[in-house]
Amino acid sequence: MVGTGYTAGGATLTNIDPTTSGTTAFIDFSDVTFSSATITAAGALIYNTTTDGGSATTNAVAVISFGGDKTSTNGDFIIQFPTADASNAIVRLA
């Protein structure tokens, strides 16, 4: 997908903060904002791309459903991650 305020490949997640609570490990990311964007999306993909020996490998980590189309028209399109705890974080391992 390419559009106003968005480039193919999306945004790089930042503030990656792995944490544990009891027997559950979880991770948090900073919210992502595409400024002055014109976007309609029903979800997002978190993926990891690694390069080994000159060839890139991309693996899906998580698919996020927005529960329906979300739209911005020449405004901020924000992906807000849930509370980072053992019950709500976007990526959890128990």
Side-chain angles (χ1 to χ4, degrees):
M1 179 172 118
V2 177
T4 304
Y6 177 88
T7 55
T12 299
L13 295 176
T14 60
N15 193 30
I16 301 168
D17 185 22
T19 310
T20 60
S21 177
T23 60
T24 302
F26 54 93
I27 194 161
D28 187 30
F29 308 101
S30 292
D31 296 342
V32 174
T33 301
F34 297 98
S35 300
S36 302
T38 300
I39 297 173
T40 298
L45 175 68
I46 296 175
Y47 65 91
N48 180 40
T49 299
T50 56
T51 303
D52 183 22
S55 64
T57 302
T58 301
N59 295 303
V61 175
V63 177
I64 303 166
S65 173
F66 298 153
D69 284 350
K70 302 298 179 192
T71 301
S72 67
T73 304
N74 197 27
D76 288 346
F77 188 92
I78 301 169
I79 299 173
Q80 185 175 25
F81 290 99
T83 302
D85 63 29
S87 299
N88 297 297
I90 198 73
V91 177
R92 298 181 302 270
L93 299 170

